[in-house]
Amino acid sequence: MDVLPFELALTFYFAATIVSITELFKESKITSRIMFSLAGIGFVIHTASIIYRYIAAGHIPITNAHEATSFFSWCIVFIFFLLQFRYKVNLLSSFIMPVVFMLMLSSSMLSREIKPLSPLLQSYWLGIHTVFAFMSNAAFALAFGVGLMYIVQERHVKSKRLGGLFERLPSLQTLDEINYRLITWGFPLLTLAIISGALWAQSTLGSYWNRDPRETLSLITWLIYAIILHARLIAGWRGRRAALMSMLGFLIILIAFFGIKFLKIGYHVF
Amino acid sequence: MKVFVAGLNHKIADVDVREKLAFNGPKLEEGLKRFRELPEVHEAIILSTCNRVELYANVKDNQRAAEAVKTFLSEFHNINRSSLDAGLYIYDGVNAVRHIFRVASSLDSMVVGEPQILGQLKDAFELALSQKTTGILLNKLMKKAISVAKRVRTETRIAENAVSISFAAVELAKKIFTDLSKRVFMLLGAGEMAELAAKHLISSGVKEVLVSNRTYERACDIAKEFNGKPVRFDEFIDEMARADIVICSTGAPDYIVTKGQMQKVMKERKQRQVFLIDISVPRNIDPETNDLDNVYLYNVDDLQGVVDSNLFERKKEAEKAEKIIDEELETFLRWQSTLDSVPTIIAIREKAEEIKKEELDKLFHKITGMGEKEREAIEYMAAALINKMIHPPTAALKEDSEDKDILVATIRKLYGIDGKKE
């Protein structure tokens, strides 16, 4: 039963991805409406599948790789809709939906078995810590997409070749501001995730900091985004540098996320 | 009954010739009235813009109409009749319709895709409507031309890219900044092209205008014109930190903004994006400035490059537009052919025969045991009935009358020949 909604959501995201990619070549009001409907339906079904797993497992469904990747995609789509509702960034879907689809696809290939929750993780901290962590990472994922759009648009303007996506991509300043806004969303969430994680570790392991690789990488990510924010406010690092840094930050998140899963080190492995 | 076009445009006539033939101001109304009064002309429209003068008409004989129009033009504008013989293009029928569609869609314009022509055509049509100089053919043609132009506008990207340097600068500014109305604009120096670009930028709404010039009085004058603030020339580099868009066009023989200076400016403005437009020749802003992060420097050749590639793009789009026009041309000609009397006569007869057959079948089905003789008599009566009914309209259609197109359209409507109205 839990298979069907997930596959359905995957299918809708796949269709939305195809439409969003065709939009890179030809775009109209109709294609964007189709894209949003497909992604929207996918999102609703996806939400239902997560709620279903929540009820079946009795805790937030992010305790195995399949669930975690799926929940991460859900967070990205959630913030994507939030962003589109507020800013209407043209072509953003073409840069985000493929990422969502790839994540969902990898999620679909991972084991879906609901294993009994290890006593280490049985805590109300599980929900708090992971929601903060995933939401912050999703905001950074969006910042990655917007950063990439900035880099593409910047190349057009700088090199004076105004073909391709130049016409349809938003202005540099808009992209720069949204990239910054996403980091100001993601950064406090990441801070909360780290604090709640430390408190949780203290309550179960007796120590705030256990040199788990995930903890170390999170701290590095936190530092990168702290530098981005700081450099922007003090030294006026904006534009291309800020975009590149935000992309680097997200790459480290991806390495942390998948690297740890495949290397199976530390207690963030499930 | 044919569509007829006589005229001249920027391609075949210089401005001094176009000027002489222009129908401007009160001349237009008077000219239209007299054009319509020519015995060869049944419907009339005059389109007169700075790039073209065209007379559209519904005529029966295009040869005679062409002669009449030439005589009319030479008398009305008081110019030599013989100079018109070679200096006009004359189209009729399909070619005339195609020409009007192309004009409306801005394919025949000096700058292909420029949007003004459609408005001018609408105005010309409106005047003709108010002067009652048009009828069924040109009314339909104009409405069709306007809808074709709209279709071309929405289905091709013909009007999308800027094709002048100053428009290209505005387009670029809009791709660097979110909202021009929050941006500060600085004009360095003066010059026709720089001022034109400045005008375009300012009319798209900037927050503040700064003007600097080697002579402070000149800066004050220009600042007054643009509602801006004059800046002394030795202070412009300090003020530049506030400027988001700078147009530079001074007569200086070398760079007045170096890379080092710009670096300082960028630091002061916290690396916020800046758009520099260097229209001066020789250049006044060090081209290496473009290597700095968040600095976008365009010189006159760069902008011209943008314009050229846009023009190339427009040419490709124009080919798509021609295809659309071909399609629409066909539907228009199909409609026009229905205005011919012969197909209408046939259609009325067919319709009547159809009704006769239907009713006879019903009758013979109901009443059985009828003899051959009775049948024949009833059939004869039915035929006589429909013949008598359709004789007057057929005769009227065969008659040679001036308002035949109206008659044809009316009869088609009364007899319901075209089915539903399109």
Side-chain angles (χ1 to χ4, degrees):
Chain A
M1 164 64 199
D2 55 318
V3 173
L4 191 62
F6 180 85
E7 308 297 351
L8 259 178
L10 179 67
T11 312
F12 275 102
Y13 287 151
F14 175 63
T17 304
I18 297 292
V19 177
S20 73
I21 290 173
T22 62
E23 281 190 311
L24 285 175
F25 303 98
K26 200 170 165 93
E27 189 196 8
S28 69
K29 267 187 194 143
I30 300 164
T31 57
S32 95
R33 217 170 283 159
I34 293 172
M35 199 316 288
F36 276 103
S37 319
L38 289 170
I41 296 169
F43 183 68
V44 170
I45 299 170
H46 195 181
T47 311
S49 97
I50 288 171
I51 292 173
Y52 175 79
R53 295 254 327 180
Y54 185 97
I55 294 165
H59 55 77
I60 189 158
I62 36 183
T63 52
N64 68 26
H66 161 70
E67 290 174 342
T69 319
S70 157
F71 185 68
F72 184 33
S73 322
W74 184 87
C75 292
I76 295 177
V77 181
F78 176 74
I79 295 183
F80 167 74
F81 275 112
L82 216 62
L83 203 64
Q84 285 299 33
F85 188 69
R86 192 142 152 42
Y87 293 102
K88 287 204 172 47
V89 191
N90 209 23
L91 287 183
L92 179 61
S93 54
S94 313
F95 287 78
I96 290 303
M97 286 318 291
V99 177
V100 170
F101 173 67
M102 288 314 287
L103 284 169
M104 286 293 278
L105 193 68
S106 53
S107 165
S108 75
M109 291 184 288
L110 295 161
S111 159
R112 300 177 190 189
E113 189 191 349
I114 300 180
K115 284 188 218 134
L117 195 57
S118 107
L120 192 66
L121 298 177
Q122 283 175 14
S123 160
Y124 60 90
W125 284 112
L126 175 69
I128 297 171
H129 172 66
T130 49
V131 168
F132 281 148
F134 278 73
M135 278 296 179
S136 79
N137 286 358
F140 293 144
L142 264 303
F144 173 89
V146 175
L148 185 60
M149 289 166 82
Y150 186 94
I151 298 295
V152 172
Q153 184 69 312
E154 214 257 354
R155 272 241 62 74
H156 281 306
V157 180
K158 196 70 150 185
S159 68
K160 294 155 190 176
R161 276 192 294 270
L162 305 184
L165 299 177
F166 170 78
E167 287 286 328
R168 291 180 288 136
L169 280 171
S171 73
L172 289 176
Q173 204 191 7
T174 305
L175 292 169
D176 188 41
E177 272 164 16
I178 293 171
N179 179 274
Y180 172 64
R181 180 56 42 85
L182 283 163
I183 292 171
T184 62
W185 289 355
F187 187 72
L189 287 167
L190 181 64
T191 312
L192 287 172
I194 291 176
I195 292 173
S196 61
L199 291 174
W200 184 10
Q202 158 68 14
S203 71
T204 47
L205 301 169
S207 160
Y208 290 113
W209 198 256
N210 299 289
R211 294 199 193 158
D212 178 78
R214 184 60 192 261
E215 290 172 0
T216 317
L217 280 167
S218 292
L219 195 66
I220 294 174
T221 335
W222 188 88
L223 279 173
I224 286 181
Y225 288 106
I227 290 169
I228 296 176
L229 291 178
H230 181 79
R232 186 181 188 100
L233 293 174
I234 304 303
W237 270 34
R238 63 182 76 226
R240 203 170 65 94
R241 273 190 225 184
L244 286 174
M245 285 291 277
S246 69
M247 289 171 73
L248 176 72
F250 184 65
L251 286 180
I252 292 182
I253 289 173
L254 279 186
I255 293 168
F257 191 78
F258 286 105
I260 287 164
K261 277 194 195 340
F262 294 121
L263 295 175
K264 298 205 185 299
I265 33 175
Y267 53 70
H268 277 90
V269 175
F270 16 74
Chain B
M1 193 187 68
K2 273 188 222 171
V3 181
F4 171 89
V5 173
L8 78 172
N9 61 14
H10 56 94
K11 286 176 196 160
I12 66 163
D14 288 334
V15 64
D16 50 324
V17 180
R18 299 202 302 268
E19 252 166 25
K20 279 188 205 135
L21 283 167
F23 290 84
N24 34 20
K27 265 182 161 182
L28 180 58
E29 226 168 276
E30 172 64 19
L32 181 62
K33 192 167 153 262
R34 284 184 41 196
F35 176 40
R36 172 65 184 88
E37 279 166 1
L38 297 177
E40 291 82 1
V41 168
H42 302 302
E43 298 179 43
I45 291 176
I46 295 181
L47 173 69
S48 177
T49 75
C50 42
N51 283 332
R52 67 182 66 247
V53 177
E54 298 194 334
L55 291 87
Y56 304 151
N58 173 5
V59 304
K60 206 175 280 169
D61 182 334
N62 54 308
Q63 299 281 340
R64 281 171 50 201
E67 290 308 310
V69 165
K70 279 177 196 166
T71 312
F72 158 67
L73 281 175
S74 77
E75 278 169 11
F76 190 84
H77 291 297
N78 218 351
I79 45 174
N80 199 342
R81 169 76 167 70
S82 59
S83 71
L84 286 171
D85 279 333
L88 287 182
Y89 44 72
I90 309 270
Y91 300 114
D92 62 278
V94 189
N95 292 331
V97 176
R98 184 193 301 277
H99 176 78
I100 292 171
F101 285 0
R102 293 187 75 245
V103 167
S105 312
S106 189
L107 290 174
D108 199 51
S109 301
M110 190 185 255
V111 176
V112 170
E114 59 88 12
Q116 284 92 336
I117 185 66
L118 183 58
Q120 290 161 336
L121 189 73
K122 279 182 186 164
D123 290 344
F125 179 37
E126 219 118 280
L127 180 74
L129 282 177
S130 71
Q131 301 289 309
K132 300 194 169 64
T133 63
T134 54
I136 186 163
L137 183 65
L138 287 194
N139 285 348
K140 178 86 179 183
L141 177 66
M142 284 298 122
K143 281 180 195 152
K144 190 79 185 167
I146 291 163
S147 80
V148 171
K150 283 183 182 154
R151 213 188 131 193
V152 165
R153 187 76 52 82
T154 49
E155 288 180 26
T156 73
R157 307 188 332 125
I158 197 156
E160 243 170 50
N161 306 306
V163 286
S164 73
I165 284 188
S166 41
F167 271 114
V170 175
E171 295 279 288
L172 270 161
K174 283 182 183 161
K175 283 296 176 188
I176 295 173
F177 303 107
T178 310
D179 188 357
L180 290 188
S181 67
K182 289 182 184 139
R183 307 272 69 97
V184 177
F185 164 64
M186 182 183 235
L187 176 63
L188 274 179
E192 202 183 333
M193 217 196 297
E195 279 182 52
L196 189 64
K199 250 178 219 153
H200 276 305
L201 260 169
I202 292 165
S203 69
S204 19
V206 292
K207 192 177 100 190
E208 199 186 337
V209 180
L210 306 172
V211 180
S212 190
N213 198 291
R214 225 170 257 286
T215 46
Y216 186 65
E217 287 70 38
R218 182 93 175 92
C220 291
D221 287 349
I222 302 172
K224 205 182 260 171
E225 187 189 336
F226 290 141
N227 225 342
K229 183 188 144 196
V231 174
R232 289 191 183 280
F233 199 69
D234 47 4
E235 287 164 6
F236 87 83
I237 203 87
D238 304 319
E239 290 281 339
M240 226 170 132
R242 287 208 297 135
D244 303 291
I245 304 166
V246 180
I247 292 183
C248 177
S249 170
T250 77
D254 47 19
Y255 303 146
I256 60 165
V257 180
T258 63
K259 191 177 177 184
Q261 279 171 316
M262 200 59 212
Q263 219 156 4
K264 261 184 236 152
V265 168
M266 287 310 282
K267 203 166 179 188
E268 212 171 310
R269 54 183 279 115
K270 294 208 161 167
Q271 306 294 332
R272 286 200 320 272
Q273 288 88 347
V274 65
F275 182 27
L276 306 176
I277 303 155
D278 187 2
I279 301 187
S280 24
V281 180
R283 287 173 293 181
N284 286 165
I285 302 176
D286 186 351
E288 281 187 17
T289 313
N290 194 44
D291 300 340
L292 295 171
D293 258 355
N294 301 332
V295 176
Y296 304 99
L297 168 66
Y298 278 68
N299 64 34
V300 107
D301 287 356
D302 298 331
L303 290 174
Q304 190 58 51
V306 172
V307 168
D308 287 347
S309 72
N310 287 349
L311 282 173
F312 179 71
E313 199 61 32
R314 280 198 179 189
K315 262 189 207 139
K316 281 200 295 188
E317 293 302 311
E319 282 165 27
K320 277 191 220 163
E322 298 282 1
K323 270 186 205 139
I324 293 175
I325 287 177
D326 281 344
E327 277 172 40
E328 297 286 348
L329 193 60
E330 212 164 285
T331 58
F332 182 79
L333 292 176
R334 214 175 301 136
W335 172 81
Q336 202 190 347
S337 73
T338 64
L339 291 187
D340 233 3
S341 53
V342 179
T344 306
I345 293 170
I346 296 171
I348 296 173
R349 172 148 293 278
E350 275 172 359
K351 183 128 194 170
E353 290 289 346
E354 200 182 301
I355 295 169
K356 182 185 89 177
K357 191 172 172 295
E358 231 171 73
E359 293 305 318
L360 282 176
D361 282 351
K362 256 192 246 166
L363 183 76
F364 294 150
H365 197 73
K366 249 187 235 160
I367 305 169
T368 43
M370 218 189 291
E372 194 63 29
K373 245 189 181 166
E374 285 98 335
R375 264 176 186 256
E376 257 171 33
I378 288 170
E379 269 173 19
Y380 181 78
M381 184 202 72
L385 261 180
I386 66 159
N387 282 339
K388 289 224 163 109
M389 273 309 281
I390 66 176
H391 177 71
T394 310
L397 283 169
K398 280 180 182 162
E399 236 168 73
D400 204 13
S401 79
E402 186 159 313
D403 302 325
K404 192 124 163 223
D405 40 6
I406 299 174
L407 184 67
V408 170
T410 313
I411 287 177
R412 290 183 83 87
K413 200 163 186 185
L414 288 178
Y415 280 84
I417 287 169
D418 296 316
K420 259 190 219 154
K421 206 169 174 277
E422 60 170 320

